[in-house]
């Protein structure tokens, strides 16, 4: 059962990064060449996968919610923005991107929400 879940995560992770992981395979270096090698990015992406955020968000396209890349362009990656956005993920938000509100996610811890927001803000090109 646990194995199946892991499988799902891996598949979902591959889907989410759209095949951009090809250049990293087989590298033993600890140097961060690419944001997708950053452990903070990977941890955030896994949590976003597990938390169902991709039901409403895509990385590059507007879905029910704004594309994460657009969110990253709108907000600088600062501790203030991370805590504000993490608060919105937990409490829900509306009016910043359109008329559709984001549902609240009260079960998330502030730490997990911040981890996910950090991942989103790292998507800036
Ligand atoms: C039910 C659909 C839905 C789900 C599930 C969802 N979102 Fe959203 N999200 C939205 C919508 C719609 C907006 C735009 C809200 C607005 O206009 O302020 C949004 C906005 C955001 C923003 C930008 C907030 C702002 O004020 O600019 C972030 C960051 C975000 N979502 C992260 C997440 C994360 C992380 C998760 C998973 C825990 C998640 N979302 C799950 C629909 C959703």
């Amino acid at each position: 059962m646990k194995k199946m879940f892991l499988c799902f995560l891996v598949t979902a992770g591959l889907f989410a990064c759209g095949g951009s992981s090809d250049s990293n395979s087989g590298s033993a270096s600890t140097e961060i060449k690419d944001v997708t090698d950053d452990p903070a990015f990977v941890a955030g992406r896994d949590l976003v996968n597990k938390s169902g955020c991709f039901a409403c968000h895509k990385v590059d396209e507007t879905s029910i919610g704004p594309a994460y890349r657009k969110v990253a362009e709108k907000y600088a990656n600062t501790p203030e923005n991370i805590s504000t956005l993490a608060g919105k993920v937990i409490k829900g938000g509306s009016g910043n991107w359109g008329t559709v509100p984001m549902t609240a996610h009260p079960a998330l811890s502030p730490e997990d929400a911040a981890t996910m927001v950090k991942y989103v803000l790292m998507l800036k090109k």
Side-chain angles (χ1 to χ4, degrees):
M1 200 56 205
K2 196 163 180 205
K3 208 167 176 190
M4 266 181 70
F5 181 61
L6 274 177
C7 257
F8 167 74
L9 274 186
V10 168
T11 316
L14 283 176
F15 176 73
C17 61
S20 62
S21 57
D22 48 353
S23 56
N24 313 327
S25 48
S27 163
S29 158
T30 53
E31 188 194 340
I32 295 173
K33 300 185 195 80
D34 182 320
V35 76
T36 53
D37 287 337
D38 190 321
F41 181 92
V42 174
R45 192 186 56 205
D46 286 354
L47 270 175
V48 166
N49 257 330
K50 277 200 285 189
S51 312
C53 316
F54 286 127
C56 293
H57 291 279
K58 290 184 181 173
V59 172
D60 284 303
E61 288 162 53
T62 303
S63 175
I64 294 166
Y68 279 154
R69 200 90 72 189
K70 292 254 169 68
V71 176
E73 275 158 20
K74 179 167 173 173
Y75 303 97
N77 193 345
T78 62
E80 292 76 31
N81 284 343
I82 290 168
S83 66
T84 308
L85 290 173
K88 286 188 190 176
V89 171
I90 293 171
K91 295 197 191 101
S94 64
N96 297 290
W97 295 91
T99 52
V100 186
M102 172 157 65
T103 48
H105 298 88
L108 292 175
S109 69
E111 292 76 23
D112 283 358
T115 303
M116 290 189 267
V117 169
K118 281 182 204 160
Y119 150 75
V120 170
L121 297 184
M122 276 185 211
L123 288 166
K124 188 174 174 174
K125 279 192 174 158

